[in-house]
Amino acid sequence: MANRNPFAIVGIALALLVGVVVAVAIVGTILVFLYGIVVAVFRSAFGIELPHLF
C-alpha cells in the first residue's frame, strides 16, 4: 500500500486519471465507428440521411 506516501498517492491518482482518459477515448472511437456503419446502412438501405458528426 501507499502508506500515506504523497508521491505514491499522486502517482496512483495520475495513473487512474490516465486510465480513465484512455478508456473514454477507446469507447468514443468505437461509438463513432459504429455510428458510421449505421449512417452507411441507413443511407444505402432506406435513403435516410442522418446528421453528420463533423
Side-chain angles (χ1 to χ4, degrees):
M1 293 298 293
N3 199 13
R4 297 186 184 169
N5 182 351
F7 295 108
I9 293 171
V10 170
I12 292 170
L14 286 175
L16 288 174
L17 287 174
V18 168
V20 167
V21 169
V22 169
V24 168
I26 291 172
V27 169
T29 301
I30 292 170
L31 289 177
V32 168
F33 181 72
L34 291 176
Y35 183 74
I37 292 174
V38 169
V39 166
V41 167
F42 271 53
R43 186 183 307 142
S44 63
F46 307 114
I48 299 172
E49 286 287 333
L50 294 176
H52 298 287
L53 294 178
F54 304 105

